Amino acid sequence: MSKEIVVVIDFGHGLPDPGAVKYGQEYQYAASIGREIAKRLPDNVKVIFTRTSDKALNEDKGQDLAARCAISNKSGATIFVSIHLNAGGGTGYETLVYSPNEEANIVHEEIKKVLDQYGITDRKIKVRKDLAVLKGTNATALLLEMGFIDNKKDMELLNNQTYFNALCQATADGIAKAVGVASKTTKAAATIPGKYRVFTGVFDSKESAEEAAALIKEKVGLNPFIRKEE
């Protein structure tokens, strides 16, 4: 019997500690991103959240961090992923680890595809020995700084639904690959073979057909052709 794959997703911070603040509050964005990543993980991965409300696990910071590690360790997690937003006047994305590891390389590489597509600064993978959730977890632990909450452009991107979805999907795909399972996107592609043609219908006038074709081109980016019906 194969071992259950458990992914622990940790939403950084939690009230009364909101984390970093400026163009939003870190604890809220961390939860939003983490939940979206979880939705995009394959069904054969068990996801455990360290917190499920806006509140931290303990008002004492040290006990809160210890409780997060304990949840992961008790679950026998395959990988622990903590979601955060950075601050301090910088820009871009980075992956933090206790020590170099292959899982971090895999996840970071998937996310980098989105960073490159949107021209976002890749701050690379950095070793941090001082972070409690990285050193206190038995599982391979990653802390993902998804952008700078005090950088207006970073936050405008995170508030852009297209970018937000792409970032969360890339993170989920990276996690799936790191734990050795096919991502949902890969499975979907594998179960829908072949090519498909889209027909939009028949119109009473050439003008109506041209209007529909122009709308498709504008919204979808395709160039439909118009054929006169005999």
Side-chain angles (χ1 to χ4, degrees):
M1 183 176 180
S2 59
K3 182 182 177 182
E4 183 178 45
I5 296 172
V6 178
V7 173
V8 172
I9 298 182
D10 173 51
F11 311 153
H13 303 281
L15 298 176
D17 170 26
V21 297
K22 187 166 184 179
Y23 297 109
Q25 301 192 70
E26 183 180 1
Y27 82 99
Q28 292 177 325
Y29 276 88
S32 178
I33 293 167
R35 289 191 183 100
E36 189 62 31
I37 291 168
K39 280 167 50 179
R40 294 168 181 272
L41 284 169
D43 296 334
N44 57 340
V45 169
K46 180 179 179 180
V47 176
I48 295 174
F49 298 128
T50 55
R51 68 173 171 92
T52 55
S53 75
D54 287 341
K55 293 183 178 179
L57 303 182
N58 195 297
E59 291 190 7
D60 177 85
K61 188 68 175 177
Q63 292 186 45
D64 175 59
L65 294 170
R68 294 166 191 263
C69 295
I71 288 170
S72 178
N73 294 342
K74 184 177 179 180
S75 74
T78 309
I79 192 170
F80 174 95
V81 182
S82 189
I83 307 298
H84 286 258
L85 272 78
N86 224 329
T91 183
Y93 167 89
E94 64 189 20
T95 299
L96 306 181
V97 296
Y98 185 77
S99 59
N101 61 81
E102 186 59 25
E103 291 89 341
N105 295 340
I106 292 170
V107 174
H108 192 95
E109 189 60 32
E110 288 299 315
I111 293 172
K112 188 178 184 301
K113 295 174 184 177
V114 176
L115 304 182
D116 291 345
Q117 181 183 350
Y118 283 85
I120 299 164
T121 301
D122 176 12
R123 296 168 60 89
K124 312 297 183 182
I125 301 173
K126 298 179 180 178
V127 172
R128 289 285 300 271
K129 299 284 189 182
D130 58 319
L131 299 178
V133 293
L134 296 183
K135 64 182 179 180
T137 46
N138 297 332
T140 299
L142 315 178
L143 193 151
L144 312 184
E145 297 278 11
M146 309 302 279
F148 277 73
I149 206 162
D150 57 353
N151 183 290
K152 189 175 181 180
K153 288 185 178 180
D154 280 18
M155 295 310 294
E156 284 175 348
L157 266 176
L158 273 179
N159 289 324
N160 178 308
Q161 196 63 49
T162 302
Y163 172 75
F164 180 87
N165 289 342
L167 180 65
C168 293
Q169 186 64 60
T171 307
D173 289 348
I175 292 170
K177 189 174 181 180
V179 299
V181 298
S183 68
K184 272 188 177 179
T185 52
T186 301
K187 286 183 176 180
T191 56
I192 310 176
K195 297 179 180 179
Y196 298 85
R197 189 180 303 278
V198 176
F199 297 93
T200 59
V202 178
F203 299 87
D204 292 331
S205 68
K206 184 178 180 182
E207 290 76 15
S208 296
E210 288 173 341
E211 287 178 7
L215 184 62
I216 292 169
K217 183 175 181 180
E218 177 188 350
K219 297 294 185 182
V220 185
L222 299 176
N223 290 301
F225 66 90
I226 297 172
R227 184 181 66 187
K228 184 178 179 180
E229 294 289 323
E230 299 299 334

